[in-house]
Amino acid sequence: MSTTTDATPSRNAVLDVEVPRGLKGVKVAETAIGNVRGQEGFFHYRQYDATELAKKRSLEDIWHLMHEGRLPDAAESAAYRERAGKLRVEAWKQVHQIVPGLMAGAELSEVDVMATLRALIAAVGAREAWKPWLDLSPEEIKDQCSRAVALTAVGVAAIYRTKHGHAMVEPDPSLPHATDYLRMVTGETPTPEKASALEKYLDLTVDHGFNASTFTARVVASTGADVSSAVVAAIGSLSGPLHGGAPSRALAMVDEIGSKENAEPFIRGIFERGERLMGFGHPVYTTMDPRSIMLGEIADGIGGDQVELARHVEQTCLDLLEELKPGRGLKTNVEFYAALVMRSAGIPDELFTPTFAVSRVIGWTANIREQVENDNRIFRPSAEYVGAEPPQDVPVI
Ligand SMILES: CC(C)(COP(=O)(O)OP(=O)(O)OC[C@H]1O[C@@H](n2cnc3c(N)ncnc32)[C@H](O)[C@@H]1OP(=O)(O)O)[C@@H](O)C(=O)NCCC(=O)NCCS
């Protein structure tokens, strides 16, 4: 007979545990994929500092690390890059058929790229009848996860170009994933500087602990549902302005401020209206977000008036947060410089959040695989009921 203690409740024990709102700080799973140490301003992919990886390795190498559990050697790295190219070519076969149909009859100027991306991944899952992962082998699950990564890059570019009346651009499997994504968006092979700036942004945003979209992907996967459902749900989660939907807003604020003199009165106005500064604050970091430090350096390398203004706006925001919200540990987050780096690399503003999805889908799918391969347990928390006292008589009419 098995015994349990308070520390190891039986599987069916009814627990009554109060946790912070939004599950802030609550450990809900074990993971070997990576983590964030908010107070130290440090995050890692598996056993490596993510910022060091971004400086030294390619996006495909990081993809390999996240999905295969270790960094590739030189031969494996070349093979993985080739594989990524083939996956994009495979994805294209679906994307160029499905995207025009999804957008036919829509008011193109109103089309939302993230919403259409959700529809695209859902359509591929539906057309190919992706089964609940419970009915699939680990190899089949891995294959679908890899395909979701390629579909996201090829899909975002195709949706954007169709929306703006441009012909969709076919993938070039000989190029690195990041470079090819940028080429499919703009229609031109980017300069090495632009490709490198974008690749570093993508490297830095592959994974970031149990953020909302990653958790969403794992919750859906925990039910046994198919991979496309988990990815579609994660895309929806990422689209929210409090998560991935903020980068264009952060840069829009800098654009609207327009000049150094206007920064302080403009930002004070935001506080007076009780609004939040986009690109500042983070649920985990109470110190500088290491991604914003590295992206700020990349932006400095690109230089120019816009970067100078952004630096000034950032400092003014930090000074006013210190003055008006002291002790909250509100610092610059990844979104602030992410937008600047993406725009400098040639990514249009409306693709800031979809481009975040292009990298984060690598993390989502690594998490989906970990969730399903390691003693999966369905997520099933409970809520405190605060409505009218039950049971009350049901009125008869
Ligand atoms: C990211 C975010 C949702 C994290 O929120 P959180 O850590 O849960 O913080 P809370 O919502 O509990 O806020 C704590 C306090 O800081 C303030 N605060 C948090 N972020 C703020 C911001 N960006 N601007 C101004 N004040 C902010 C809140 O008003 C609150 O103040 P109070 O103590 O006087 O009530 C939040 O900082 C935010 O909305 N930021 C802007 C959006 C953004 O950049 N998102 C991208 C995240 S990577």
Side-chain angles (χ1 to χ4, degrees):
M1 195 180 82
S2 66
T3 56
T4 58
T5 66
D6 285 351
T8 55
S10 77
R11 193 183 159 96
N12 296 319
V14 177
L15 297 177
D16 192 11
V17 183
E18 298 248 346
V19 295
R21 292 185 70 203
L23 297 179
K24 196 166 179 169
V26 177
K27 293 191 170 79
V28 295
E30 288 185 344
T31 182
I33 290 175
N35 201 14
V36 183
R37 295 197 208 143
Q39 290 183 338
E40 294 167 41
F42 171 74
F43 75 115
H44 55 106
Y45 300 158
R46 300 206 182 268
Q47 65 270 47
Y48 302 106
D49 177 337
T51 56
E52 197 184 338
L53 282 168
K55 285 179 190 146
K56 295 182 177 167
R57 303 296 291 247
S58 68
L59 181 62
E60 285 88 337
D61 285 358
I62 294 174
W63 182 353
H64 188 287
L65 172 69
M66 302 308 254
H67 279 249
E68 311 298 332
R70 59 181 179 81
L71 280 171
D73 61 25
E76 288 168 331
S77 172
Y80 218 67
R81 179 172 145 176
E82 201 181 318
R83 175 179 174 271
K86 284 187 185 145
L87 285 163
R88 290 195 303 280
V89 170
E90 280 306 305
W92 166 257
K93 290 179 188 161
Q94 292 279 15
V95 167
H96 89 282
Q97 280 183 23
I98 297 173
V99 165
L102 282 179
M103 296 168 71
E107 181 58 62
L108 286 183
S109 62
E110 295 294 316
V111 163
D112 180 87
V113 179
M114 286 293 272
T116 314
L117 178 65
R118 278 200 313 265
L120 170 68
I121 306 281
V124 173
R127 278 161 62 117
E128 296 183 356
W130 289 16
K131 293 193 176 57
W133 65 259
L134 274 177
D135 300 330
L136 300 180
S137 68
E139 272 313 305
E140 287 170 315
I141 298 168
K142 181 178 166 185
D143 181 57
Q144 291 182 347
C145 286
S146 305
R147 298 194 50 216
V149 174
L151 278 166
T152 303
V154 178
V156 167
I159 294 163
Y160 171 76
R161 290 189 67 83
T162 306
K163 170 173 177 175
H164 292 280
H166 306 309
M168 295 180 280
V169 175
E170 217 171 309
D172 176 348
S174 70
L175 292 176
H177 195 66
T179 309
D180 201 24
Y181 167 64
L182 191 47
R183 190 191 64 91
M184 288 186 286
V185 168
T186 62
E188 290 164 14
T189 302
T191 61
E193 293 73 27
K194 287 185 174 182
S196 161
L198 181 71
E199 180 156 0
K200 286 191 169 39
Y201 163 77
L202 296 172
D203 292 343
L204 288 170
T205 49
V206 159
D207 189 57
H208 204 243
F210 256 57
N211 58 86
S213 58
T214 298
F215 185 43
T216 303
R218 289 185 77 127
V219 169
V220 176
S222 82
T223 68
D226 68 286
V227 170
S228 69
S229 293
V231 172
V232 167
I235 295 169
S237 174
L238 185 72
S239 68
L242 299 184
H243 186 11
S248 43
R249 296 181 188 214
L251 194 52
M253 179 177 80
V254 177
D255 289 341
E256 211 179 329
I257 288 173
S259 68
K260 288 184 182 175
E261 307 70 61
N262 195 27
E264 188 174 336
F266 187 98
I267 297 159
R268 279 194 190 278
I270 293 178
F271 281 103
E272 280 158 19
R273 293 191 298 277
E275 295 167 6
R276 291 184 173 209
L277 304 175
M278 287 295 155
F280 292 84
H282 195 273
V284 181
Y285 290 119
T286 49
T287 174
M288 281 296 280
D289 182 334
R291 300 168 299 177
S292 76
I293 296 175
M294 188 169 160
L295 289 167
E297 287 165 7
I298 296 169
D300 286 341
I302 296 165
D305 291 350
Q306 199 174 38
V307 176
E308 214 179 292
L309 176 62
R311 280 287 189 203
H312 180 81
V313 169
E314 178 194 21
Q315 195 50 53
T316 311
C317 287
L318 290 172
D319 292 345
L320 290 179
L321 282 165
E322 200 50 49
E323 179 190 324
L324 301 168
K325 294 274 176 186
R328 314 301 202 282
L330 298 166
K331 304 283 187 218
T332 321
N333 68 38
V334 63
E335 311 297 8
F336 193 78
Y337 284 108
L340 205 54
V341 167
M342 281 192 274
R343 190 189 274 175
S344 310
I347 295 288
D349 289 16
E350 72 174 301
L351 288 192
F352 290 166
T353 302
T355 300
F356 191 172
V358 167
S359 57
R360 188 51 64 87
V361 67
I362 297 174
W364 293 332
T365 46
N367 272 277
I368 290 169
R369 290 185 56 207
E370 183 178 65
Q371 179 69 36
V372 308
E373 284 166 13
N374 292 323
D375 187 26
N376 177 59
R377 177 81 53 89
I378 189 167
F379 282 98
R380 197 354 180 150
S382 44
E384 179 83 8
Y385 176 73
V386 295
E389 184 63 25
Q392 295 187 18
D393 285 344
V394 177
V396 177
I397 52 169

